Amino acid sequence: MKLKIAVLAGDGIGPEVINQAVKVCDAVAVKYNHEIKWIPALTGAAAIDAVGEPYPDETHKICMNADAILFGAIGHPKYDNNPSAKVRPEQGLLKMRKKLGLFANVRPTFTFPSLIDNSPLKRERIEGTDLVFLRELTGGIYFGEKGRKDGGETAFDTCTYTRKEVIRLAKKGFELAMTRSKKLCCVDKANVLESSRLWRETVQAMEKEYPEVEVSYEFVDAVAMRLVQWPNSYDVLITENLFGDILTDEASVISGSMGLMPSASVGEKHYLYEPIHGSYPQAAGKNIANPLATILSAAMMFEDAFGLKEEAESIRNVVNKSLAAGVVTEDLSRDKKAYKTSDVGDWLVANL
Ligand code: IPM
Ligand code: MN
């Protein structure tokens, strides 16, 4: 197969982890006889520095024309404590999601048998956890009307959803649930928020189209608690943008390291794959960041964007092998030897 992949390394540890994923994908391509053309493009603080814009039109063009997009991370500390910065790297990410129509953010959380004791949570709580969040990604409070009034003394952000937006996300949730254990949880705050009541009413109306799926409705504050108490009780969860942002960071603790969890952001036409961790600027350039979340995101890309299941499995298998062999970066090595980011990539390539 001929594959054209846009590669947006971004900021911080983005380029280092992306390099490893590219190496692994190239090795998979050799093994299974595919031809990958990588098309690098600028994003984030790196793009602001180069062209004054975190998601330049040129990058958008490249993404529009690619079969899939592999994304590193964006964010730079020089913008974090400067609320008055006019352009911010994060705006690039939001603009990209909106312009490419990536409305569904798929964020799985699972455990690796060899890493169960890396999680700060007790083994008996988390063993066997295998859940997926579908986070709505192009609506809600991230994109609603926002501003200041009263001469800057009052600030507001508005959470807005249309029924159509809820339906298209929920549809993905029901469909995913049908391929798994047929359990769907709709996470909202319908006891307080009108937008949540629209979510709940819309999902309830869709239930009859999926009679086999058992749907539960839970408030986000309760889910935040149950997620770490009984993660095993969940399978597919659907939720709005901000709730999903917060809960998926929380869920990553179950797996033992944020450096492990992959994600996909998908729409009608475009597919983007990225680690759920951020740019981790403290580690940038040190060759210590865990590349596995990005590499596992590439596995999702092979499976979902290209329909290449065996290729995806080969990546997951070799990752499991590296974990079992203790070929891990310092976030996972505990008192044993820590491998460098590039050493982990090299090991995976050699073992593919
Ligand atoms: C994420 C990130 C982004 C978000 C930030 C960087 C804008 O936290 O992808 O979860 O809030 O969506
Ligand atoms: Mn986040």
Side-chain angles (χ1 to χ4, degrees), residues 107 135 142 244-246 248-249 258 276:
R107 295 190 167 181
R135 164 190 175 194
Y142 275 60
D245 178 46
I246 298 167
T248 53
D249 265 30
M258 248 214 155
I276 84 156

Side-chain angles (χ1 to χ4, degrees), residues 123-140:
R123 165 183 281 269
E124 59 271 24
R125 295 270 164 194
I126 58 173
E127 225 156 25
T129 297
D130 180 11
L131 55 87
V132 188
F133 273 96
L134 280 180
R135 164 190 175 194
E136 201 291 327
L137 203 56
T138 52

Side-chain angles (χ1 to χ4, degrees), residues 135-136 140-141 159 161 187 199 238-245:
R135 164 190 175 194
E136 201 291 327
I141 202 165
C159 180
Y161 270 106
V187 184
W199 269 75
I238 53 174
T239 193
E240 64 92 45
N241 204 343
L242 181 62
F243 295 162
D245 178 46

Side-chain angles (χ1 to χ4, degrees), residues 78-151:
K78 74 179 170 199
Y79 300 94
D80 288 349
N81 295 319
N82 177 10
S84 60
K86 289 253 167 347
V87 275
R88 319 179 63 81
E90 289 79 5
Q91 289 163 343
L93 189 58
L94 302 186
K95 195 168 158 194
M96 177 178 73
R97 289 171 179 169
K98 196 73 172 178
K99 285 182 81 169
L100 294 171
L102 307 173
F103 65 85
N105 186 207
V106 187
R107 295 190 167 181
T109 292
F110 44 87
T111 53
F112 297 86
S114 54
L115 293 181
I116 287 272
D117 296 319
N118 280 68
S119 172
L121 301 173
K122 289 197 183 88
R123 165 183 281 269
E124 59 271 24
R125 295 270 164 194
I126 58 173
E127 225 156 25
T129 297
D130 180 11
L131 55 87
V132 188
F133 273 96
L134 280 180
R135 164 190 175 194
E136 201 291 327
L137 203 56
T138 52
I141 202 165
Y142 275 60
F143 292 94
E145 200 191 326
K146 62 182 77 212
R148 294 279 178 114
K149 50 189 183 187
D150 305 333

